[in-house]
Amino acid sequence: QVQLLESGGGSVRAGGSLRLSCALSGVGYNSAYCLAWFRQAPGKVREGVAAIDSDGSTRYIDSVKGRFTITRDNAKNTLYLQMDSLQPEDTAIYYCAAGAGVYRDGGMDIGSDRDYPYWGQGTQVTVSA
């Protein structure tokens, strides 16, 4: 099994920054896993925000490109999401996820929540205008 535990959520004003962390553990976890951040806003479906492969390749959705940065520290078994220039539309519960990865003709893709078997419990991010 793989356990994931997010931290770092909170409330900020528009234009502010937050850094989310996700600690990974469990006998089933290894650094070959693809890791991702998803978010779910009230009344909306959960969407993939960013993903990072075991070799450090990354993928972002268009709405966060240039503002969010996903990184991983395999020595610490930790995933990060640096979020800058936050906007009210970024308000959501943020989840980290682990899985085998999604690969298409163009390379790695974020995929959907069905592609990730392991999930954290989520952390709330609220951005006020």
Side-chain angles (χ1 to χ4, degrees):
Q1 276 288 13
V2 179
Q3 288 82 46
L4 300 90
L5 181 64
E6 302 97 337
S7 61
S11 297
V12 296
R13 291 186 177 271
S17 298
L18 283 173
R19 188 193 195 202
L20 305 183
S21 299
C22 174
L24 299 108
S25 62
V27 295
Y29 176 72
N30 64 75
S31 60
Y33 274 104
C34 179
L35 305 176
W37 287 98
F38 281 72
R39 67 186 179 186
Q40 188 166 21
K44 295 188 177 181
V45 299
R46 187 157 53 182
E47 67 171 349
V49 173
I52 184 167
D53 203 348
S54 57
D55 64 2
S57 299
T58 58
R59 187 62 66 98
Y60 300 89
I61 55 172
D62 288 345
S63 61
V64 307
K65 284 181 181 177
R67 300 189 299 121
F68 290 11
T69 304
I70 186 172
T71 57
R72 65 191 292 172
D73 185 334
N74 290 331
K76 295 182 179 180
N77 289 345
T78 304
L79 173 71
Y80 302 98
L81 185 67
Q82 177 66 42
M83 304 186 293
D84 298 318
S85 301
L86 282 161
Q87 300 301 316
E89 52 265 35
D90 295 316
T91 295
I93 300 174
Y94 283 71
Y95 301 87
C96 58
V102 179
Y103 297 91
R104 309 187 197 284
D105 291 342
M108 185 189 68
D109 198 356
I110 298 174
S112 72
D113 52 6
R114 295 188 299 271
D115 297 308
Y116 295 84
Y118 303 110
W119 291 84
Q121 84 292 343
T123 185
Q124 177 70 47
V125 171
T126 302
V127 185
S128 59

